[in-house]
Coordinates of all heavy atoms in Angstrom, one line a residue:
I201 N 9.4 -0.2 1.5 CA 8.4 0.8 1.6 C 7.6 0.8 0.3 O 8.2 1.0 -0.8 CB 9.0 2.2 1.8 CG1 9.7 2.2 3.2 CG2 7.9 3.3 1.8 CD1 10.5 3.5 3.4
P202 N 6.4 0.4 0.3 CA 5.6 0.2 -1.0 C 5.3 1.5 -1.7 O 5.3 2.6 -1.1 CB 4.3 -0.5 -0.5 CG 4.1 0.1 0.9 CD 5.5 0.2 1.5
R203 N 5.1 1.3 -3.0 CA 4.6 2.4 -3.9 C 3.5 1.9 -4.7 O 3.7 0.9 -5.5 CB 5.8 3.0 -4.7 CG 5.3 4.1 -5.7 CD 6.5 4.9 -6.3 NE 7.6 4.0 -6.8 CZ 7.6 3.6 -8.1 NH1 6.6 3.9 -8.9 NH2 8.6 2.8 -8.6
I204 N 2.4 2.5 -4.6 CA 1.2 2.1 -5.5 C 1.4 2.5 -6.9 O 1.8 3.7 -7.2 CB -0.1 2.6 -4.9 CG1 -0.4 2.1 -3.5 CG2 -1.3 2.3 -5.8 CD1 -0.5 0.6 -3.4
V205 N 1.2 1.6 -7.8 CA 1.2 1.9 -9.3 C -0.2 1.6 -9.8 O -1.0 1.0 -9.1 CB 2.3 1.2 -10.0 CG1 3.7 1.6 -9.4 CG2 2.1 -0.3 -9.9
Q206 N -0.4 1.9 -11.1 CA -1.7 1.6 -11.7 C -2.1 0.2 -11.6 O -3.3 -0.1 -11.3 CB -1.7 2.1 -13.2 CG -3.0 2.1 -13.8 CD -3.0 2.7 -15.2 OE1 -2.1 2.3 -16.0 NE2 -3.9 3.6 -15.5
A207 N -1.2 -0.7 -11.7 CA -1.6 -2.2 -11.7 C -2.0 -2.6 -10.3 O -2.6 -3.7 -10.2 CB -0.4 -3.0 -12.2
T208 N -1.7 -1.9 -9.2 CA -2.0 -2.3 -7.9 C -3.0 -1.4 -7.2 O -3.2 -1.5 -6.0 CB -0.7 -2.4 -7.0 OG1 -0.1 -1.1 -7.0 CG2 0.2 -3.5 -7.6
Q209 N -3.6 -0.4 -7.9 CA -4.6 0.4 -7.3 C -5.8 -0.4 -6.8 O -6.2 -1.3 -7.5 CB -5.1 1.4 -8.4 CG -4.2 2.6 -8.6 CD -4.8 3.6 -9.5 OE1 -5.2 3.4 -10.6 NE2 -4.9 4.9 -9.0
E210 N -6.3 0.0 -5.6 CA -7.5 -0.6 -5.0 C -7.3 -2.1 -4.7 O -8.3 -2.8 -4.5 CB -8.7 -0.4 -5.9 CG -9.0 1.1 -6.1 CD -10.3 1.3 -6.8 OE1 -11.3 1.4 -6.1 OE2 -10.3 1.4 -8.1
Q211 N -6.0 -2.5 -4.5 CA -5.8 -3.9 -4.2 C -5.5 -4.2 -2.7 O -5.8 -5.2 -2.2 CB -4.6 -4.5 -5.0 CG -4.8 -4.5 -6.5 CD -5.9 -5.5 -6.9 OE1 -6.0 -6.6 -6.3 NE2 -6.6 -5.1 -7.9
F212 N -5.0 -3.1 -2.0 CA -4.5 -3.3 -0.7 C -5.2 -2.3 0.3 O -5.2 -1.1 0.1 CB -3.0 -3.1 -0.6 CG -2.3 -3.8 -1.7 CD1 -1.5 -3.1 -2.6 CD2 -2.4 -5.2 -1.8 CE1 -0.7 -3.8 -3.6 CE2 -1.6 -5.9 -2.8 CZ -0.8 -5.2 -3.7
V213 N -5.6 -2.9 1.5 CA -5.8 -2.0 2.7 C -4.4 -1.7 3.1 O -3.5 -2.5 3.0 CB -6.6 -2.8 3.7 CG1 -6.6 -2.1 5.1 CG2 -8.0 -3.0 3.3
P214 N -4.1 -0.5 3.7 CA -2.8 -0.1 4.0 C -1.9 -1.2 4.8 O -0.8 -1.4 4.5 CB -3.0 1.2 4.9 CG -4.2 1.8 4.3 CD -5.1 0.6 3.9
Q215 N -2.5 -1.8 5.8 CA -1.8 -2.8 6.6 C -1.3 -4.0 5.8 O -0.4 -4.7 6.2 CB -2.6 -3.3 7.8 CG -2.8 -2.2 8.8 CD -4.2 -1.5 8.6 OE1 -4.6 -1.3 7.5 NE2 -4.8 -1.0 9.7
M216 N -2.0 -4.3 4.7 CA -1.6 -5.5 3.9 C -0.3 -5.3 3.2 O 0.4 -6.3 2.9 CB -2.7 -5.7 2.8 CG -4.0 -6.2 3.3 SD -5.4 -6.1 2.1 CE -4.8 -7.3 0.9
I217 N 0.2 -4.0 3.1 CA 1.5 -3.8 2.6 C 2.4 -3.0 3.6 O 3.2 -2.2 3.2 CB 1.5 -3.1 1.2 CG1 0.6 -1.8 1.2 CG2 1.0 -4.0 0.1 CD1 0.6 -1.0 0.0
N218 N 2.1 -3.2 4.9 CA 2.9 -2.7 6.0 C 2.9 -1.1 6.1 O 3.8 -0.5 6.6 CB 4.4 -3.1 5.9 CG 4.5 -4.6 5.8 OD1 3.5 -5.4 6.0 ND2 5.7 -5.1 5.6
F219 N 1.9 -0.5 5.6 CA 1.9 1.0 5.5 C 2.0 1.6 6.9 O 2.6 2.6 7.1 CB 0.6 1.4 4.8 CG 0.9 2.5 3.8 CD1 1.6 2.3 2.6 CD2 0.4 3.8 4.0 CE1 1.8 3.3 1.7 CE2 0.6 4.9 3.1 CZ 1.3 4.6 2.0
E220 N 1.3 1.0 7.9 CA 1.4 1.5 9.2 C 2.7 1.3 9.9 O 3.1 2.1 10.8 CB 0.2 0.9 10.1 CG 0.5 -0.4 10.8 CD 0.8 -1.5 9.9 OE1 0.6 -1.5 8.6 OE2 1.3 -2.6 10.4
S221 N 3.5 0.3 9.4 CA 4.8 0.0 10.0 C 5.9 0.8 9.5 O 7.0 0.8 10.0 CB 5.1 -1.5 9.8 OG 4.2 -2.3 10.6
V222 N 5.6 1.5 8.4 CA 6.6 2.5 7.8 C 6.1 3.9 7.9 O 6.4 4.8 7.1 CB 6.9 2.1 6.3 CG1 7.7 0.8 6.3 CG2 5.7 2.0 5.5
A223 N 5.3 4.2 9.0 CA 4.8 5.5 9.3 C 4.0 6.2 8.3 O 4.1 7.4 8.0 CB 6.0 6.4 9.7
G224 N 3.1 5.4 7.6 CA 2.3 5.9 6.5 C 0.8 6.1 7.0 O 0.0 6.6 6.2
V225 N 0.5 5.8 8.2 CA -0.8 5.9 8.8 C -0.8 6.5 10.1 O 0.0 6.1 11.0 CB -1.6 4.5 8.8 CG1 -3.0 4.7 9.4 CG2 -1.6 3.8 7.5

């Protein structure tokens, strides 16, 4: 389950890091 930190802000659309598959969308 990903966690965005300062170094990765604005790098990913949610699906690029499985956000929808871990019930985040």
Side-chain angles (χ1 to χ4, degrees):
I201 299 175
R203 174 166 54 89
I204 297 297
V205 299
Q206 189 173 48
T208 58
Q209 283 187 300
E210 301 187 88
Q211 296 296 321
F212 313 121
V213 170
Q215 293 94 328
M216 292 166 63
I217 51 173
N218 304 355
F219 223 70
E220 87 299 346
S221 294
V222 290
V225 181

